[in-house]
Amino acid sequence: MPRQAQILNVALWCAFLAVPMQARASDADVVLDWNAHAARAIVTVGGQVPPRALIRLAMVHLAIYDAVNAIEGVPPYQSYASVPTVERPASPEAAAATAAHDVLVALFPAQVADLDAKYWASLDALPDDIAKVHGIAVGQQAASAILNARAQDGRDATVIYVPGSGPGVWVPTPPAFLTAQAPETTLVQPFALNSTSQFRPEGPFSLTSEEWARDYNEVKALGSAVGSIRTAEQTDIARFWSDNPPLQWNRAWRALSMAKGLGLADNARYFAMLASASADALIACWDAKYYYNFWRPVTAIRAGDSDGNPETAPDPAWIGLLVTPNHPEYPAAHGCFSGASTETLKYLFGTDDISFSIDSNVAGLANSVRTYSRFSDALTEVLDARIYGGMHYRNSTRIGANIGKQVSRFTTRHFFRPAKHANKPNE
């Protein structure tokens, strides 16, 4: 007999006899549990690069959100993709675990054995009663609705990107000269935005401008692997923020949730908002990247005599401190992601003035944990880090952060609102 059928039979039999069963409450929040499981399935095992990873993480957390939100009643907040039918009593823990599991299995069928094992562990920690059965049904509905809503979202499209050539144009970069990363992201349906280009910025600086020469020479001096004017602390900062961005920020989100004592319902909304705003920030970022196709410092500095600017002296052997990511430079993706993350955290906690810490798994750091007095302080450091690492120009980091903030503000203004105050997305 299938495991779920066994649960149904046990729960119905216990309900019929009205025999109380001992609760086996989980010591951990199920949303936190499945956030960690999702991060592992998507990035660590699934190997998804940042834009693809965040799109899939958002799907998981939106399913959890709709499931838990429905059980909370009314519902208290504006639903996202569905309002599942709820038979009461219903376990929000069972609903959250089922919603996450079902979305992840659909996205990563090769991981079904591991995900099933984690799922049964989540359910085994709950009482075998009718509330569990009803919660499972709610989670199944929420997962199905998200999967249906995103069935044709473009995330699995095959896009052949052919780079151009000449001054200002992105081309594959050393040392591996990899092909362009995730070009299909420009076609992916956003979660909250009206279109991928909704917050597309103006283009990068003209190559003949003073601003271009200023940014060029800053990264040339600070970002070089050899002969840089960086301090030891700046080198550590660059390397600290070279950790996998979705995993690094996701750990920070989890730590903040635990430090603030958020409950299961709060966490369902918290992670849904953070993941969907961050996913849309990278979708918007990739739209601009592949629209402008701007060259990376390692390409520009080696060809500084080709840009028509007398203030950009070339260095044919220049290489950045860190390996340059394999996608166009403008705008900076970490700025987009971190801008969305910090702006959403400011909204959720009602202030920028929150002391928090972030860790990094990069080996050999002088400081593997960094602490900030404000969310905005972390964002400022991220932007500096991309210059210290030799991957971005100053203007690009600022523009990226602004895109992330705009995406976050739009998302929090129009989605996940208290139900009675929900606005229409195009208002």
Side-chain angles (χ1 to χ4, degrees):
M1 180 181 295
R3 184 70 180 274
Q4 192 160 312
Q6 292 176 337
I7 292 172
L8 178 62
N9 284 345
V10 169
L12 291 176
W13 180 247
C14 292
F16 176 73
L17 293 178
V19 176
M21 298 187 69
Q22 183 177 359
R24 290 169 289 166
S26 174
D27 292 331
D29 186 311
V30 173
V31 176
L32 288 173
D33 290 345
W34 279 92
N35 171 263
H37 298 335
R40 180 180 184 278
I42 294 167
V43 182
T44 307
V45 180
Q48 299 295 307
V49 296
R52 293 171 180 163
L54 285 167
I55 289 165
R56 288 152 179 81
L57 185 66
M59 292 174 66
V60 171
H61 278 294
L62 287 168
I64 292 173
Y65 168 77
D66 275 349
V68 173
N69 193 47
I71 291 175
E72 287 296 301
V74 179
Y77 292 102
Q78 178 186 13
S79 60
Y80 181 79
S82 68
V83 181
T85 301
V86 180
E87 293 189 56
R88 302 185 186 279
S91 164
E93 293 84 1
T98 302
H101 166 269
D102 287 8
V103 172
L104 286 169
V105 167
L107 294 175
F108 301 99
Q111 298 184 47
V112 64
D114 181 58
L115 292 167
D116 279 357
K118 290 179 169 64
Y119 180 52
W120 296 124
S122 291
L123 294 186
D124 284 345
L126 302 172
D128 285 322
D129 57 14
I130 196 65
K132 178 191 284 189
V133 177
H134 290 162
I136 289 171
V138 172
Q140 289 172 337
Q141 293 175 66
S144 178
I146 287 292
L147 291 168
N148 287 336
R150 305 294 300 184
Q152 303 296 326
D153 67 358
R155 69 181 183 275
D156 294 321
T158 299
V159 175
I160 306 300
Y161 174 81
V162 180
S165 62
V169 179
W170 182 83
V171 293
T173 53
F177 298 94
L178 298 175
T179 57
Q181 183 186 101
E184 80 286 347
T185 306
T186 63
L187 305 176
V188 173
Q189 171 191 340
F191 290 90
L193 300 185
N194 296 322
S195 71
T196 59
S197 61
Q198 183 173 342
F199 295 115
R200 183 187 291 167
E202 294 184 0
F205 291 138
S206 165
L207 298 183
T208 59
S209 68
E210 292 181 8
E211 293 85 358
W212 162 246
R214 180 198 65 209
D215 281 5
Y216 173 104
N217 287 309
E218 181 186 32
V219 69
K220 182 182 179 185
L222 282 171
S224 178
V226 179
S228 171
I229 64 171
R230 267 188 330 272
T231 66
E233 171 72 358
Q234 289 170 335
T235 298
D236 209 52
I237 288 170
R239 298 188 65 247
F240 178 93
W241 286 105
S242 68
D243 198 355
N244 182 283
L247 292 182
Q248 188 172 26
W249 266 118
N250 197 62
R251 292 195 302 270
W253 297 344
R254 290 169 52 75
L256 272 163
S257 166
M258 291 184 282
K260 297 300 180 181
L262 299 187
L264 185 140
D266 290 333
N267 272 330
R269 182 170 179 260
Y270 170 87
F271 282 103
M273 294 178 77
L274 285 164
S276 57
S278 297
D280 270 7
L282 285 195
I283 290 171
C285 193
W286 251 246
D287 167 81
K289 279 180 176 292
Y290 286 95
Y291 184 81
Y292 292 112
N293 297 295
F294 200 57
W295 59 357
R296 290 280 184 168
V298 68
T299 305
I301 294 170
R302 292 182 177 199
D305 55 353
S306 71
D307 63 7
N309 194 317
E311 302 301 320
T312 57
D315 180 351
W318 193 91
I319 192 77
L321 171 68
L322 301 174
V323 175
T324 295
N326 55 316
H327 43 81
E329 190 275 339
Y330 180 86
H334 216 317
C336 295
F337 181 8
S338 298
S341 182
T342 53
E343 194 71 11
T344 305
L345 288 169
K346 284 165 58 178
Y347 172 84
L348 285 162
F349 292 110
T351 180
D352 184 38
D353 297 322
I354 298 286
S355 178
F356 75 111
S357 298
I358 300 180
D359 66 7
S360 177
N361 289 334
V362 174
L365 294 171
N367 294 299
S368 61
V369 178
R370 302 184 68 84
T371 300
Y372 309 91
S373 299
R374 293 176 292 272
F375 295 127
S376 57
D377 291 343
L379 176 60
T380 297
E381 190 175 272
V382 168
L383 306 188
D384 288 340
R386 308 319 271 178
I387 297 164
Y388 302 153
M391 297 171 286
H392 283 291
Y393 315 105
R394 177 70 63 183
N395 183 53
S396 180
T397 67
R398 291 171 176 164
I399 295 297
N402 188 52
I403 290 172
K405 291 176 182 180
Q406 288 178 299
V407 170
S408 171
R409 291 166 188 161
F410 184 86
T411 302
T412 57
R413 186 178 301 121
H414 297 297
F415 291 83
F416 313 105
R417 304 285 295 172
K420 63 180 179 180
H421 296 133
N423 293 329
K424 296 178 181 179
N426 58 357
E427 287 181 350

